[in-house]
Amino acid sequence: PPPLPPPRPTAKFGRMTPLNRRTFIAAAAGAAAAAVAMNPQTASAIGDHDGHGDGDFADAGKGFIAALTPGVVKNAKGQVVWDADAYRFLKGDAPKTAHKSLWRQSQLVSKQGLFKVTDRIYQVRGLDLSNMTLIEGDTGVIVIDPLISAETATAALKLYRTHRGNRKVTGLIYTHPHVDHFGGCRGVLPDGSDGTGDVPILAPEGFMEHAVSENVYAGTAMQRRSGYMYGAQLPKSAAGQIGCGLGQTVSLGSIGLIPPTKDITRTGQSETVDGVRFEFQMTPGTEAAAEMNFLLPELRAVCMAENATHTMHNIITLRGAQVRDARQWAHYLGESVTLFDGKADVAFASHHWPTWGGGTIVELLEQQRDLYAYMHDQTLRMINLGMTGREIAEEIELPPALAEVWANRGYYGSLSHNVKGIYQRYMGWFDGNPAHLWEHPPVAEAKRYVQALGGRSATVAKARAFARDGDLRFSATLLNHVVFADPRRRDARVELASVYTRLGQACENAVWRNFYLSGARELREGVEESPTSVVSADMLMALDVDQLIDSVAIRVVGPKAWDLEVRMDWSLPALGKVWHLTLRHGVLTYRSDTEADPAAGVTLTMTKSQLLSMLAGKGLGDIDVEGDVSLLGKLLAVVGKPDPDFPIVTP
């Protein structure tokens, strides 16, 4: 799941004018038949059942109590932050505009409402990208993973209380530091809660560091690409966004972050919250850098967090992130089998639906363990035969016994891009071929390809021929060169948008579909306002001073600062430290201790809140200034602003 805040609600976001919507749907429908013919998997190579009849559909509906009706959640301003009803079109057989297997997955994950998992354990599913799990304790209810937004979390808790009584929240557990597992915390704990009250908040060791770090350093680029990954600007329709494989989409509400009061540091650690005993398994480096599963021994239930769900997950996520460790992932799933076999009658996770029965639980864990182990081991074997990531991704196949398991299908992660991620983890970006060592950047390369192919018109004609012959991949490559060589070339943009639409509608992988269709939309309609934002008071307050200075340092426009030399102190008495900042050679560096630097040209004495306000461009306010305040202006003058709306499929 994304370790990023969700899209912000705007009047423009997620909507199309009637004319644009008709254009989109007409273009999508026109591509559908060719998409089906192009992809042989559209007729689902694994048939119409999963070996258990309609087992997944039965499990996804098991324990259903009630749905939120209507399935719409709004914020205080009346803006829609979640609309489960938008997916009512997911009925019946798959249309020609969607892969049959992905359509099935979207039908399963679009089921929303309150469900009973087992005695004292309930889940609210389908009200955000993730699930909220509620465990009834002696005096109240313990909330596991409170969704992305305060608004959806509030609605989920209200739905639970409507049917189970007005139980107070007596505990909160974050299984890992992705925003869909903590962002709604303000919706389940009282306003103003800071993690120091009576409600214990448990999380894996390292939670706070990882909850904020990805949102600071490469956050702008990640959030831009996450809009494509989740199809944020696509219409919800059979021709557009039908889900993301892990859930349907992300909510658009307000994000909070209340720090944990208790770190879980080791496997086997046991904690009791409101009379309920938890036995934890640490799984760092799997789906998240800090993650944990837990057993509820008295309730004979196990939570697998996001380590075992009903899809192949991401080893490398398409929005951008550090590569996850497939070897460790497989190792910890094997450990889970050892730890939990015979001790649980139901396994639930932070996404999808539960798995019932001890033998079925073990089967799921072993199948997913073998999935990640096979990907890892075979990629390394082929690397040591001299194959590149692209070559391995084309050749590798899962054993039929793994590939035919619905839960191993590539709805969210994919075998193709996961293999490339494993290659990247071990070998980096360079494949060893010197022809790839110093290639031209995209625009310069595109112009040379187009020239070599006989010009723009000739290149478009060749691309159309490849598309007619069913080779949409190479057609897209040629058309992409034309668009980058001359982005004003309308015929190339229209043709490439059509090819992307055909590719997207043939995809079993939801995020590939969303990327292709979002790319087609950009080509047809241009770059729109980015639908995502990392702005959150809780998130900013969670950053330590080192991270705040780092966030400034990575925005220094180096060439503008080559000839500047600035030294200053930032003193925060409440933290008992002074940070010594130096801007020199276009680089902002720092160190901290308890003493002032006599060589500092200016000293700013402030609180952390004042520091945040200053960095947000709100001026000095009541900050105490000693020395030459113009030095601060010189520093801020060379700090650039990231572009949250940069183009992706156009130069």
Side-chain angles (χ1 to χ4, degrees), residues 520-577:
R521 182 180 173 112
E522 180 182 324
L523 287 163
R524 292 187 180 112
E525 302 183 25
V527 177
E528 298 187 72
E529 178 185 352
S530 176
T532 56
S533 172
V534 296
V535 176
S536 163
D538 277 352
M539 293 287 287
L540 291 174
M541 284 302 296
L543 298 171
D544 60 33
V545 176
D546 285 7
Q547 289 173 318
L548 286 169
I549 299 174
D550 284 338
S551 71
V552 175
I554 61 175
R555 292 169 56 190
V556 170
V557 183
K560 290 177 64 175
W562 285 348
D563 299 324
L564 284 178
E565 185 163 348
V566 174
R567 296 181 68 170
M568 67 177 65
D569 278 0
W570 289 359
S571 176
L572 281 77
L575 301 179
K577 294 176 70 175

Side-chain angles (χ1 to χ4, degrees), residues 114-156:
L114 175 67
F115 298 80
K116 181 177 180 179
V117 176
T118 189
D119 287 345
R120 297 171 61 183
I121 302 177
Y122 295 80
Q123 280 191 321
V124 178
R125 304 199 290 270
L127 288 188
D128 213 320
L129 179 68
S130 51
N131 302 332
M132 179 193 288
T133 303
L134 304 111
I135 302 172
E136 295 177 351
D138 291 346
T139 64
V141 64
I142 304 153
V143 174
I144 316 298
D145 289 350
L147 310 182
I148 290 175
S149 305
E151 293 85 350
T152 53
T154 298

Side-chain angles (χ1 to χ4, degrees), residues 281-477:
Q281 178 197 11
M282 297 297 289
T283 63
T286 52
E287 190 271 337
E291 191 152 352
M292 62 187 188
N293 304 323
F294 59 80
L295 176 71
L296 300 163
E298 281 80 22
L299 303 181
R300 292 191 59 81
V302 61
C303 173
M304 292 305 299
E306 206 164 327
N307 290 314
T309 57
H310 293 278
T311 180
M312 179 191 299
H313 215 294
N314 284 305
I315 300 303
I316 179 69
T317 176
L318 298 187
R319 62 172 169 76
Q322 295 182 4
V323 181
R324 297 159 185 171
D325 191 337
R327 183 182 65 87
Q328 283 288 82
W329 202 326
H331 165 76
Y332 283 120
L333 285 173
E335 184 179 72
S336 297
V337 173
T338 301
L339 290 172
F340 306 138
D341 187 12
K343 299 178 182 179
D345 299 321
V346 61
F348 60 92
S350 302
H351 296 271
H352 301 147
W353 54 95
T355 299
W356 284 270
T360 308
I361 293 169
V362 170
E363 182 181 40
L364 173 68
L365 297 183
E366 290 182 339
Q367 287 168 339
Q368 294 232 309
R369 174 200 63 194
D370 295 349
L371 168 69
Y372 298 118
Y374 189 90
M375 280 194 294
H376 175 271
D377 295 351
Q378 294 306 304
T379 300
L380 265 292
R381 178 182 68 82
M382 295 187 203
I383 284 173
N384 287 317
L385 293 175
M387 297 175 67
T388 67
R390 291 169 62 183
E391 291 169 335
I392 297 168
E394 287 297 298
E395 182 166 318
I396 192 170
E397 290 184 75
L398 291 176
L402 294 178
E404 293 172 3
V405 175
W406 286 112
N408 284 352
R409 302 296 290 183
Y411 303 117
Y412 190 56
S414 79
L415 186 60
S416 176
H417 74 250
N418 279 343
V419 161
K420 293 168 187 173
I422 296 168
Y423 183 93
Q424 177 183 323
R425 182 179 181 89
Y426 285 96
M427 304 300 292
W429 67 269
F430 182 46
D431 63 5
N433 185 336
H436 302 148
L437 187 60
W438 192 27
E439 294 176 294
H440 287 290
V443 171
E445 181 182 67
K447 290 180 177 179
R448 287 162 173 79
Y449 268 107
V450 169
Q451 181 183 10
L453 288 165
R456 298 178 182 90
S457 297
T459 307
V460 171
K462 289 180 172 66
R464 285 176 175 151
F466 278 104
R468 284 195 301 270
D469 292 340
D471 190 347
L472 297 182
R473 295 165 67 183
F474 193 63
S475 178
T477 298

